[in-house]
Amino acid sequence: MTGVTLQDFTVDPSFNMDQVERSLRTYGAAVLPGWADAAMLASLRNEFEQVLNDQDEGYAYQINYAPGRAVSIMRDKLPRGRYPALTGFFEHPKMREMAERYIGHPCLLNYEVYATHESKPAVSVAPAHFDKLWTLKYMLYLKEVGRDDAPFGIIPGSFKVARERFRSIFEKDNL
């Protein structure tokens, strides 16, 4: 897929289901600038440092992360009321609807959330790869990012190649 720019898969921030799904199925990504409003971003920023420092092994896993700091939060194990902004954002009904449209039903919606803070610009964040699980990633930046801030990158359309590779492995090995 040549000549594709960020604008090609930037969609209306209202989270129009048809628009988002079309972009996902065409490019493998959809960008919704401004979907999280200022109040939600402020609440998430307030929880962010707490999440990164959380040591509760019942639901948090501190990741050895060369570019900075990272933690994995297992949302189904979170105590009730812990991180209400994170929970509210990642349980949004539009996220569920899109996950079910794209992945199918049933599916696990944001069962694991990663919080990362890349603070070492000389360290590569993630080389080219594809995920082992059939997933739909929802990513949220808590501040404006530019090229030097290690934003997530994609190769438009590559998700189709990765999916076919996985299917062939599963078929070949009868998994």
Side-chain angles (χ1 to χ4, degrees), residues 114-164:
Y114 293 91
T116 66
H117 181 212
E118 290 77 16
S119 58
K120 300 173 185 169
V123 178
S124 177
V125 173
H129 72 282
F130 55 90
D131 295 326
K132 292 182 266 186
L133 298 174
W134 177 232
T135 62
L136 180 58
K137 289 182 181 179
Y138 289 103
M139 302 181 80
L140 175 68
Y141 292 94
L142 297 177
K143 68 174 193 128
E144 290 292 324
V145 296
R147 185 179 302 261
D148 295 333
D149 296 311
F152 187 76
I154 68 162
I155 300 170
S158 64
F159 70 102
K160 295 174 185 176
V161 173
R163 184 83 173 132
E164 288 307 313

Side-chain angles (χ1 to χ4, degrees), residues 13 20 30 46 48 51 82 95 101 112 151 160 165 170:
V20 172
N46 287 336
F48 182 67
V51 169
R82 184 79 172 139
M95 287 187 184
R101 280 174 84 162
E112 186 174 17
K160 295 174 185 176
R165 284 183 185 165
F170 277 72

Side-chain angles (χ1 to χ4, degrees), residues 15 17 75 90-102 104-110 136 138:
F15 207 131
M17 290 292 160
R75 286 190 38 249
F90 287 103
E91 285 181 357
H92 196 285
K94 287 190 173 191
M95 287 187 184
R96 170 154 312 282
E97 183 179 342
M98 184 51 58
E100 290 177 355
R101 280 174 84 162
Y102 191 75
H105 182 77
C107 68
L108 298 173
L109 178 67
N110 300 320
L136 180 58
Y138 289 103

Side-chain angles (χ1 to χ4, degrees), residues 4-136:
V4 177
T5 68
L6 178 61
Q7 194 58 40
D8 292 315
F9 50 93
T10 297
V11 299
D12 186 274
S14 67
F15 207 131
N16 174 286
M17 290 292 160
D18 293 331
Q19 235 186 12
V20 172
E21 183 178 14
R22 187 171 33 256
S23 184
L24 288 173
R25 294 195 186 279
T26 303
Y27 303 111
V31 177
L32 292 80
W35 183 59
D37 64 25
M40 177 55 74
L41 284 173
S43 296
L44 287 163
R45 284 184 192 115
N46 287 336
E47 291 180 359
F48 182 67
E49 196 65 32
Q50 295 170 45
V51 169
L52 279 177
N53 291 316
D54 200 322
Q55 300 290 322
D56 189 324
E57 293 179 3
Y59 59 83
Y61 173 73
Q62 291 291 326
I63 299 167
N64 184 6
Y65 190 58
R69 299 184 302 155
V71 66
S72 163
I73 298 290
M74 301 304 293
R75 286 190 38 249
D76 65 333
K77 295 179 181 178
L78 274 175
R80 186 177 204 82
R82 184 79 172 139
Y83 305 129
L86 180 141
T87 299
F89 182 80
F90 287 103
E91 285 181 357
H92 196 285
K94 287 190 173 191
M95 287 187 184
R96 170 154 312 282
E97 183 179 342
M98 184 51 58
E100 290 177 355
R101 280 174 84 162
Y102 191 75
I103 302 287
H105 182 77
C107 68
L108 298 173
L109 178 67
N110 300 320
Y111 69 95
E112 186 174 17
V113 174
Y114 293 91
T116 66
H117 181 212
E118 290 77 16
S119 58
K120 300 173 185 169
V123 178
S124 177
V125 173
H129 72 282
F130 55 90
D131 295 326
K132 292 182 266 186
L133 298 174
W134 177 232
T135 62
L136 180 58

